[in-house]
Amino acid sequence: MEKKLAQKNNIMDLKEKIIAEIRKIYDPEIPVNIYELGLIYDVKVKDDTAKIIMTLTTPNCPEAQTIPEKVADVVSLVSGVNEVKVKITWEPPWTQDNMTEAAKLELGLI
């Protein structure tokens, strides 16, 4: 039981480290990080593999290639992560409702 609890804590710590790194990535057109923008839908960690499901603000985003690559690059540098899988999804589509209150405040939306 203690081993499972320790393993669960390690996975939660790793997930927090991954999210901290993702928060360093900014959308080049919007001065807010992609996590606060709500572009990251899910971060899952199993063993040493990180699976990230994300979207972009629009399918026509000029950074459609580079943002997911940046996510994979920064997450791969997190100690304890040996494999990163980034999946882009358009369902549900991104809206301003995905943004955190801090992001909305930064952009003058509230």
Side-chain angles (χ1 to χ4, degrees):
M1 183 70 173
E2 285 182 33
K3 186 177 180 180
K4 280 191 173 191
L5 184 58
Q7 189 175 26
K8 185 176 180 179
N9 286 340
N10 287 342
I11 288 172
M12 292 304 293
D13 289 345
L14 191 54
K15 184 175 177 177
E16 287 176 23
K17 289 176 185 175
I18 290 167
I19 291 170
E21 291 304 311
I22 290 172
R23 286 180 190 262
K24 296 177 183 177
I25 302 169
Y26 282 74
D27 184 301
E29 297 177 344
I30 306 170
V32 175
N33 74 65
I34 65 170
Y35 193 83
E36 299 295 325
L37 278 176
L39 298 182
I40 304 298
Y41 285 169
D42 197 17
V43 175
K44 292 183 180 175
V45 177
K46 185 173 182 182
D47 300 321
D48 61 355
T49 300
K51 294 181 182 179
I52 295 133
I53 299 173
M54 65 175 293
T55 193
L56 299 167
T57 54
T58 173
N60 300 324
C61 176
E63 298 293 320
Q65 288 286 53
T66 58
I67 292 176
E69 288 173 358
K70 286 179 186 175
V71 170
D73 289 346
V74 301
V75 172
S76 69
L77 297 175
V78 173
S79 178
V81 174
N82 289 322
E83 185 177 1
V84 181
K85 297 178 181 179
V86 177
K87 180 182 176 190
I88 299 291
T89 185
W90 302 109
E91 294 297 325
W94 180 88
T95 68
Q96 289 183 1
D97 293 336
N98 294 40
M99 295 190 308
T100 64
E101 295 295 312
K104 290 176 184 177
L105 186 61
E106 177 72 28
L107 296 173
L109 298 175
I110 55 172

